Amino acid sequence: MPKIIVVTSGKGGVGKTTTSASFASGLALRGNKTVVIDFDVGLRNLDLIMGCERRVVYDIINVINNEVSLKQALIKDKHCDNLYVLPASQTRDKDALNLEAVGRILDELKESFDCIVCDSPAGIEHGAFSAMYYADEALIVTNPEVSSVRDSDRILGILAAKSKRAVEGLDPVKEHLLVTRYDPKRVAAGEMLSVDDIQEILRIPLIGVIPESESVLQASNSGTPAIHLEKSDVAEAYRDLVARFMGDEVPMRFTTAEKAGFLKRLFGGR
Amino acid sequence: MSLIDNLLDYLRGDTKKTAVVAKERLQIILAHERAGRNANSPDYLPALQEELLAVIAKYIHVDRDMIKVQLEKHGDYEVLELNIMLPEDKRAGA
Ligand SMILES: Nc1ncnc2c1ncn2[C@@H]1O[C@H](COP(=O)(O)OP(=O)(O)O)[C@@H](O)[C@H]1O
Ligand SMILES: [Mg+2]
């Protein structure tokens, strides 16, 4: 059965697009035929993070308006074989994303893909709603920060009450907590909510913890999803996330601050 | 807070860390917001809360934040929960 997975959060800037790019790439690396869709109409960015911005010709709105076929709009990823990107439109407005049309596109994608990853825009309005409405599963991207946790709770409320699965009385959307931009040092100092705190508050199963890292900027600079980085905590954390999503038992990592060794304490550095 | 207070807190080790404050604040506000969006919370609840508040205010001065009306489901039956936090001095006198 093909799966529709929404990457959502309510709040902006928490790491949805970064996560969508790496998660979709990871799914493809594990052999799933995967498409990642940018729902942020008007503020498209997934193409830049995936490094395919110069190959965008058509977008999701062209498909919705029947101007081109899905096949014409899909862009093949340059890093993975099984991965395609469906970009958002940069010029049209969000209202073009009507639920019925989005449903039609998703149905067509289900015929040829195993995993459909929907990168949601911020907010709870039109674009965000159409990204989550058809979801089977949801990655709730949350930063260890009060406003992000509150917004995630709001999104969980909407998934539970207004998603297609809720409205039609089917099994509820399967929710996964993904904590991103986590800084174990600050948690240890009592300056940042811990993963346990966030999980206790939101009461959904934890699927991963992505540490705060400078390498994310390097990945976006070069248009390479962070999961492909060598020797990077973030890449490993995203690979763990994908493995857990696929059902592997993988212990949580990057949740505790490593004790700085003597030399490191003496000379600093990270 | 004065320097002395800070120092005493430090020595006693009981400065509340901001992460603890964040967690407490979130638990309170989210409990409130979840109750508000609960689909089967009947629409007379806000009005009931207002009227109760008016009655109580005739006798005691209570803050609007100090009263909570909530409908909770326990198995097959529902419990209407009314919580009023009385101000310190009133509690002592009564
Ligand atoms: N784990 C991380 N460590 C450091 N910076 C990150 C991390 N994840 C995301 N960022 C940065 O945060 C910003 C917002 O990320 P983005 O994925 O665009 O968020 P959203 O799609 O939720 O708005 C970007 O500048 C991105 O590089
Ligand atoms: Mg984004």
Side-chain angles (χ1 to χ4, degrees):
Chain A
M1 261 303 267
K3 264 185 198 164
I4 302 178
I5 309 118
V6 64
V7 179
T8 185
S9 69
K11 190 170 156 63
V14 296
K16 289 180 294 298
T17 301
T18 305
T19 297
S20 298
S22 284
F23 180 61
S25 302
L27 289 171
L29 288 175
R30 300 227 4 188
N32 300 288
K33 203 153 181 237
T34 304
V35 57
V36 55
I37 310 176
D38 189 349
F39 275 82
D40 209 341
V41 171
L43 289 169
R44 111 171 144 216
N45 271 325
L46 183 66
D47 54 341
L48 272 178
I49 302 302
M50 302 289 299
C52 66
E53 71 279 2
R54 293 182 51 192
R55 288 187 289 144
V56 175
V57 185
Y58 303 114
D59 58 58
I60 187 169
I61 305 295
N62 295 127
V63 182
I64 284 180
N65 294 344
N66 290 316
E67 292 154 11
V68 298
S69 71
L70 248 179
K71 245 208 184 107
Q72 287 174 285
L74 289 174
I75 302 170
K76 198 189 153 308
D77 182 61
K78 61 181 177 194
H79 308 280
C80 325
D81 271 344
N82 290 321
L83 182 58
Y84 289 79
V85 182
L86 181 56
S89 165
Q90 190 65 307
T91 49
R92 324 268 184 110
D93 62 303
K94 290 196 169 56
D95 295 338
L97 275 179
N98 72 72
L99 272 190
E100 187 268 322
V102 170
R104 226 175 355 143
I105 292 186
L106 292 176
D107 279 342
E108 196 179 332
L109 288 171
K110 273 186 181 173
E111 286 166 19
S112 31
F113 289 94
D114 305 314
C115 297
I116 303 170
V117 177
C118 303
D119 179 19
S120 172
I124 50 175
E125 304 300 321
H126 213 79
F129 189 64
S130 27
M132 76 169 88
Y133 182 77
Y134 294 98
D136 300 307
E137 307 203 19
L139 294 187
I140 309 295
V141 181
T142 307
N143 289 169
E145 182 263 323
V146 284
S147 53
S148 173
V149 175
R150 182 198 214 168
D151 289 0
S152 292
D153 192 69
R154 186 89 194 278
I155 289 290
L156 288 170
I158 298 175
L159 280 170
K162 298 193 177 144
S163 63
K164 180 164 187 278
R165 284 179 166 272
V167 175
E168 294 182 356
L170 306 170
D171 287 342
V173 177
K174 194 166 171 196
E175 303 152 337
H176 309 275
L177 173 63
L178 179 68
V179 176
T180 57
R181 312 201 63 165
Y182 196 64
D183 188 341
K185 274 203 213 104
R186 301 198 71 184
V187 174
E191 299 170 4
M192 185 180 263
L193 288 165
S194 71
V195 166
D196 291 341
D197 290 339
I198 300 172
Q199 210 189 346
E200 189 185 327
I201 295 166
L202 292 178
R203 305 179 200 149
I204 57 171
L206 179 71
I207 195 168
V209 178
I210 312 295
E212 169 80 18
S213 164
E214 291 164 9
S215 57
V216 172
L217 180 60
Q218 293 177 35
S220 72
N221 282 343
S222 58
T224 310
I227 196 169
H228 297 302
L229 294 174
E230 306 264 336
K231 296 198 197 113
S232 141
D233 285 0
V234 168
E236 286 183 40
Y238 275 123
R239 268 180 239 132
D240 285 1
L241 157 71
V242 173
R244 289 186 202 107
F245 187 84
M246 301 290 296
D248 298 356
E249 295 249 354
V250 183
M252 285 294 159
R253 294 195 279 170
F254 315 111
T255 50
T256 47
E258 60 172 286
K259 287 243 164 29
F262 172 71
L263 285 177
K264 211 169 181 182
R265 259 185 304 170
L266 201 60
F267 297 112
R270 353 183 177 205
Chain B
M1 238 198 213
S2 74
L3 195 66
I4 299 288
D5 284 335
N6 275 331
L7 191 65
L8 281 176
D9 274 350
Y10 177 76
L11 291 176
R12 270 188 256 125
D14 62 6
T15 348
K16 224 186 218 175
K17 297 287 202 232
T18 56
V20 176
V21 178
K23 185 178 179 186
E24 288 170 0
R25 289 175 61 218
L26 275 168
Q27 278 169 328
I28 293 167
I29 186 66
L30 292 185
H32 192 76
E33 288 178 353
R34 282 172 188 152
R37 69 169 179 246
N38 186 351
N40 27 3
S41 111
D43 47 13
Y44 60 74
L45 271 192
L48 178 63
Q49 173 158 347
E50 282 309 309
E51 286 179 40
L52 282 170
L53 194 64
V55 174
I56 292 159
K58 282 199 337 209
Y59 301 93
I60 329 164
H61 177 76
V62 282
D63 239 15
R64 156 169 305 271
D65 301 343
M66 294 292 130
I67 167 165
K68 276 216 172 76
V69 186
Q70 230 167 321
L71 203 60
E72 280 202 19
K73 217 170 156 74
H74 291 277
D76 281 346
Y77 52 93
E78 285 177 309
V79 177
L80 180 67
E81 205 180 81
L82 174 63
N83 257 305
I84 307 163
M85 282 246 272
L86 298 183
E88 286 295 339
D89 50 335
K90 289 295 177 311
R91 235 180 308 175

